Amino acid sequence: MTVLTRPPALGPLFVRGALLSPFKRPAGDAAFPRAPLVLPGLRPDLPRLAAYERVCGFATGAEGLPVTYPHVLGFPLAMKLMSARDFPLPLLGLVHTSIEISRYAELPADEVYEVAARVEGLRPHRRGTEAAVLTEMRAGGAVVWESRSTYLARHRTSYDGAEPRAEHEPLPVVDEWRIAGDVGRRYGAASGDRNPIHLSAPTARLFGFPRAIAHGMWTVARCLAAHGVPERARVTAEFRAPVPLPATVLYTADGTGRFELRGPGRDRVHVRGRVCAREA
């Protein structure tokens, strides 16, 4: 276990990860760092929290943190792990494919938290190698929030394991959203995640995208702000296709906890997720 004294700066981590990416050799059975990173004594920055709430559509000034905000607090630790020399997947091109969140209690905005992150493992994927990163947040010694994110490094592979995605009829349309072209920059300023693919068309083109794309975690946060989440909840979400900016999308939900973000023709799913209440 490595205990940090302050949150790592994301900019230098991205640069380091980018420089090391050409030397990585991803494989499902590769060695990976197992020691967790721990950051104690973390208190949310209230102005940044308010900016995050505004850009994601959450009510500002609420007593508790939005269910997705601990991901922002823990992301610098995850980035430090994934940009390290001993992490076998290249940071450049790494795609966030899913997240599962469990919230066990209300998260007061003025609380002091301990955040920890570790790499759970690697597994072969039909498109390359996938890594799972676990993040947890504690208050008073108890785990109050945790998540499991998967990240895919695409590369040639002989793995042919079937990984079917369940399909179903499109959910009823609840609302149509017009997403501004600057939402990537606004979310980046609030979250600290200033990955160039989200900021502008010129910087996104450097990485093979014709236009900037929305952060995956912004899309799921925006959906959850519209859907609502119980105090004790489990949230799962798959990131199916990027949202190019600007965009018009459909927010759909069926009243059973399922939600989706779809393209205007309803034939392309950007995000698919579910909210379930947890028992006390």
Side-chain angles (χ1 to χ4, degrees), residues 77-91:
L77 278 69
M79 272 289 289
K80 186 172 178 66
L81 291 170
M82 294 188 293
S83 63
R85 188 178 298 275
D86 56 352
F87 183 72
L89 307 187
L91 189 65

PDB file of all heavy atoms in Angstrom, residues 77-91:
ATOM      1  N   LEU A  77      -6.092   8.917  -8.578  1.00  0.00           N
ATOM      2  CA  LEU A  77      -5.401   7.716  -8.100  1.00  0.00           C
ATOM      3  C   LEU A  77      -5.423   6.639  -9.180  1.00  0.00           C
ATOM      4  O   LEU A  77      -4.413   5.970  -9.423  1.00  0.00           O
ATOM      5  CB  LEU A  77      -6.057   7.197  -6.814  1.00  0.00           C
ATOM      6  CG  LEU A  77      -5.640   7.891  -5.506  1.00  0.00           C
ATOM      7  CD1 LEU A  77      -6.158   9.321  -5.443  1.00  0.00           C
ATOM      8  CD2 LEU A  77      -6.137   7.100  -4.302  1.00  0.00           C
ATOM      9  N   ALA A  78      -6.577   6.467  -9.822  1.00  0.00           N
ATOM     10  CA  ALA A  78      -6.659   5.491 -10.900  1.00  0.00           C
ATOM     11  C   ALA A  78      -5.713   5.850 -12.038  1.00  0.00           C
ATOM     12  O   ALA A  78      -5.039   4.988 -12.621  1.00  0.00           O
ATOM     13  CB  ALA A  78      -8.097   5.401 -11.413  1.00  0.00           C
ATOM     14  N   MET A  79      -5.629   7.144 -12.359  1.00  0.00           N
ATOM     15  CA  MET A  79      -4.723   7.582 -13.416  1.00  0.00           C
ATOM     16  C   MET A  79      -3.270   7.344 -13.035  1.00  0.00           C
ATOM     17  O   MET A  79      -2.444   6.983 -13.889  1.00  0.00           O
ATOM     18  CB  MET A  79      -4.949   9.060 -13.712  1.00  0.00           C
ATOM     19  CG  MET A  79      -6.019   9.317 -14.735  1.00  0.00           C
ATOM     20  SD  MET A  79      -5.516   8.849 -16.411  1.00  0.00           S
ATOM     21  CE  MET A  79      -4.320  10.139 -16.746  1.00  0.00           C
ATOM     22  N   LYS A  80      -2.944   7.531 -11.769  1.00  0.00           N
ATOM     23  CA  LYS A  80      -1.566   7.277 -11.329  1.00  0.00           C
ATOM     24  C   LYS A  80      -1.217   5.803 -11.513  1.00  0.00           C
ATOM     25  O   LYS A  80      -0.099   5.463 -11.915  1.00  0.00           O
ATOM     26  CB  LYS A  80      -1.400   7.696  -9.870  1.00  0.00           C
ATOM     27  CG  LYS A  80       0.048   7.617  -9.356  1.00  0.00           C
ATOM     28  CD  LYS A  80       0.181   8.214  -7.973  1.00  0.00           C
ATOM     29  CE  LYS A  80       1.620   8.095  -7.447  1.00  0.00           C
ATOM     30  NZ  LYS A  80       2.563   8.910  -8.247  1.00  0.00           N
ATOM     31  N   LEU A  81      -2.167   4.927 -11.247  1.00  0.00           N
ATOM     32  CA  LEU A  81      -1.936   3.496 -11.459  1.00  0.00           C
ATOM     33  C   LEU A  81      -1.785   3.176 -12.948  1.00  0.00           C
ATOM     34  O   LEU A  81      -0.871   2.448 -13.349  1.00  0.00           O
ATOM     35  CB  LEU A  81      -3.105   2.693 -10.881  1.00  0.00           C
ATOM     36  CG  LEU A  81      -3.249   2.663  -9.362  1.00  0.00           C
ATOM     37  CD1 LEU A  81      -4.587   2.050  -8.980  1.00  0.00           C
ATOM     38  CD2 LEU A  81      -2.106   1.880  -8.722  1.00  0.00           C
ATOM     39  N   MET A  82      -2.685   3.733 -13.773  1.00  0.00           N
ATOM     40  CA  MET A  82      -2.717   3.359 -15.189  1.00  0.00           C
ATOM     41  C   MET A  82      -1.635   4.048 -16.017  1.00  0.00           C
ATOM     42  O   MET A  82      -1.361   3.630 -17.151  1.00  0.00           O
ATOM     43  CB  MET A  82      -4.095   3.637 -15.769  1.00  0.00           C
ATOM     44  CG  MET A  82      -5.180   2.754 -15.178  1.00  0.00           C
ATOM     45  SD  MET A  82      -6.788   2.911 -15.997  1.00  0.00           S
ATOM     46  CE  MET A  82      -7.254   4.596 -15.550  1.00  0.00           C
ATOM     47  N   SER A  83      -1.028   5.105 -15.478  1.00  0.00           N
ATOM     48  CA  SER A  83       0.059   5.768 -16.204  1.00  0.00           C
ATOM     49  C   SER A  83       1.433   5.292 -15.737  1.00  0.00           C
ATOM     50  O   SER A  83       2.450   5.767 -16.253  1.00  0.00           O
ATOM     51  CB  SER A  83      -0.036   7.291 -16.019  1.00  0.00           C
ATOM     52  OG  SER A  83       0.126   7.646 -14.653  1.00  0.00           O
ATOM     53  N   ALA A  84       1.456   4.365 -14.786  1.00  0.00           N
ATOM     54  CA  ALA A  84       2.727   3.899 -14.236  1.00  0.00           C
ATOM     55  C   ALA A  84       3.463   2.989 -15.222  1.00  0.00           C
ATOM     56  O   ALA A  84       2.862   2.360 -16.094  1.00  0.00           O
ATOM     57  CB  ALA A  84       2.485   3.150 -12.931  1.00  0.00           C
ATOM     58  N   ARG A  85       4.763   2.915 -15.057  1.00  0.00           N
ATOM     59  CA  ARG A  85       5.589   2.098 -15.934  1.00  0.00           C
ATOM     60  C   ARG A  85       5.215   0.620 -15.858  1.00  0.00           C
ATOM     61  O   ARG A  85       5.292  -0.110 -16.852  1.00  0.00           O
ATOM     62  CB  ARG A  85       7.070   2.291 -15.576  1.00  0.00           C
ATOM     63  CG  ARG A  85       8.048   1.637 -16.534  1.00  0.00           C
ATOM     64  CD  ARG A  85       9.481   1.932 -16.129  1.00  0.00           C
ATOM     65  NE  ARG A  85       9.757   3.362 -16.175  1.00  0.00           N
ATOM     66  CZ  ARG A  85      10.122   4.010 -17.278  1.00  0.00           C
ATOM     67  NH1 ARG A  85      10.269   3.348 -18.416  1.00  0.00           N
ATOM     68  NH2 ARG A  85      10.363   5.309 -17.234  1.00  0.00           N
ATOM     69  N   ASP A  86       4.787   0.155 -14.670  1.00  0.00           N
ATOM     70  CA  ASP A  86       4.505  -1.274 -14.510  1.00  0.00           C
ATOM     71  C   ASP A  86       3.058  -1.635 -14.827  1.00  0.00           C
ATOM     72  O   ASP A  86       2.665  -2.793 -14.668  1.00  0.00           O
ATOM     73  CB  ASP A  86       4.863  -1.747 -13.096  1.00  0.00           C
ATOM     74  CG  ASP A  86       4.161  -0.961 -12.002  1.00  0.00           C
ATOM     75  OD1 ASP A  86       3.506   0.044 -12.318  1.00  0.00           O
ATOM     76  OD2 ASP A  86       4.294  -1.350 -10.827  1.00  0.00           O
ATOM     77  N   PHE A  87       2.246  -0.679 -15.294  1.00  0.00           N
ATOM     78  CA  PHE A  87       0.896  -1.002 -15.764  1.00  0.00           C
ATOM     79  C   PHE A  87       1.015  -1.391 -17.236  1.00  0.00           C
ATOM     80  O   PHE A  87       1.544  -0.621 -18.042  1.00  0.00           O
ATOM     81  CB  PHE A  87      -0.031   0.196 -15.595  1.00  0.00           C
ATOM     82  CG  PHE A  87      -1.465  -0.077 -15.982  1.00  0.00           C
ATOM     83  CD1 PHE A  87      -2.267  -0.867 -15.181  1.00  0.00           C
ATOM     84  CD2 PHE A  87      -2.005   0.468 -17.136  1.00  0.00           C
ATOM     85  CE1 PHE A  87      -3.591  -1.120 -15.524  1.00  0.00           C
ATOM     86  CE2 PHE A  87      -3.320   0.224 -17.495  1.00  0.00           C
ATOM     87  CZ  PHE A  87      -4.117  -0.574 -16.689  1.00  0.00           C
ATOM     88  N   PRO A  88       0.556  -2.579 -17.629  1.00  0.00           N
ATOM     89  CA  PRO A  88       0.906  -3.093 -18.964  1.00  0.00           C
ATOM     90  C   PRO A  88       0.090  -2.545 -20.125  1.00  0.00           C
ATOM     91  O   PRO A  88       0.444  -2.783 -21.280  1.00  0.00           O
ATOM     92  CB  PRO A  88       0.662  -4.604 -18.815  1.00  0.00           C
ATOM     93  CG  PRO A  88      -0.408  -4.706 -17.783  1.00  0.00           C
ATOM     94  CD  PRO A  88      -0.147  -3.577 -16.816  1.00  0.00           C
ATOM     95  N   LEU A  89      -0.995  -1.834 -19.870  1.00  0.00           N
ATOM     96  CA  LEU A  89      -1.816  -1.337 -20.972  1.00  0.00           C
ATOM     97  C   LEU A  89      -1.437   0.107 -21.303  1.00  0.00           C
ATOM     98  O   LEU A  89      -1.192   0.909 -20.399  1.00  0.00           O
ATOM     99  CB  LEU A  89      -3.303  -1.398 -20.618  1.00  0.00           C
ATOM    100  CG  LEU A  89      -3.850  -2.739 -20.125  1.00  0.00           C
ATOM    101  CD1 LEU A  89      -5.371  -2.665 -19.980  1.00  0.00           C
ATOM    102  CD2 LEU A  89      -3.450  -3.867 -21.043  1.00  0.00           C
ATOM    103  N   PRO A  90      -1.386   0.455 -22.584  1.00  0.00           N
ATOM    104  CA  PRO A  90      -1.045   1.835 -22.958  1.00  0.00           C
ATOM    105  C   PRO A  90      -2.172   2.787 -22.595  1.00  0.00           C
ATOM    106  O   PRO A  90      -3.344   2.511 -22.870  1.00  0.00           O
ATOM    107  CB  PRO A  90      -0.852   1.750 -24.477  1.00  0.00           C
ATOM    108  CG  PRO A  90      -1.658   0.570 -24.903  1.00  0.00           C
ATOM    109  CD  PRO A  90      -1.612  -0.403 -23.763  1.00  0.00           C
ATOM    110  N   LEU A  91      -1.823   3.906 -21.985  1.00  0.00           N
ATOM    111  CA  LEU A  91      -2.841   4.881 -21.605  1.00  0.00           C
ATOM    112  C   LEU A  91      -3.494   5.495 -22.837  1.00  0.00           C
ATOM    113  O   LEU A  91      -4.711   5.721 -22.856  1.00  0.00           O
ATOM    114  CB  LEU A  91      -2.216   5.968 -20.732  1.00  0.00           C
ATOM    115  CG  LEU A  91      -3.208   6.933 -20.074  1.00  0.00           C
ATOM    116  CD1 LEU A  91      -4.091   6.211 -19.073  1.00  0.00           C
ATOM    117  CD2 LEU A  91      -2.460   8.077 -19.401  1.00  0.00           C
TER     118      LEU A  91
END
